[in-house]
Amino acid sequence: MSEAILDLSTVTTNGQVTIPAEVRRLLGIKPGNKVLFFQRANGDVVIDNASVAAIKEAQAALAGVAEKIGWTSDGDVLEAVMEQRYGADA
């Protein structure tokens, strides 16, 4: 079993964080890469290198969700995002 990585980073007033070097090495994150944040069904929030493989994994995890909850347009998605960001009155 490998040793777990535990490190802290401070959020700036602009909402930015520095990803610790050990985590960047583990995920293969290089300057200019994008990172992906997603929440698993169990509530865990995961950060990953937003490589094509990571994006495909996220897409696979979300496949069919929109249809199951009745979303039929981009507007439905935007409405849900706005509600999450600003509350039900957005």
Side-chain angles (χ1 to χ4, degrees):
M1 182 171 166
S2 63
E3 188 174 319
I5 296 174
L6 179 64
D7 209 336
L8 290 174
S9 187
T10 301
V11 179
T12 70
T13 56
N14 290 331
Q16 298 172 326
V17 296
T18 299
I19 301 170
E22 185 71 20
V23 174
R24 291 193 314 268
R25 277 191 290 279
L26 176 70
L27 297 176
I29 296 172
K30 306 286 184 211
N33 285 165
K34 303 242 184 243
V35 292
L36 175 69
F37 298 88
F38 61 97
Q39 186 175 21
R40 292 189 170 146
N42 68 1
D44 290 347
V45 175
V46 178
I47 178 177
D48 203 346
N49 191 339
S51 65
V52 173
I55 292 171
K56 285 182 179 179
E57 180 181 332
Q59 288 174 328
L62 297 171
V65 171
E67 293 82 6
K68 286 180 185 175
I69 60 176
W71 289 353
T72 59
S73 70
D74 291 347
D76 292 335
V77 175
L78 180 58
E79 183 179 328
V81 169
M82 297 300 282
E83 186 175 316
Q84 284 297 310
R85 286 184 180 167
Y86 306 111
D89 298 329

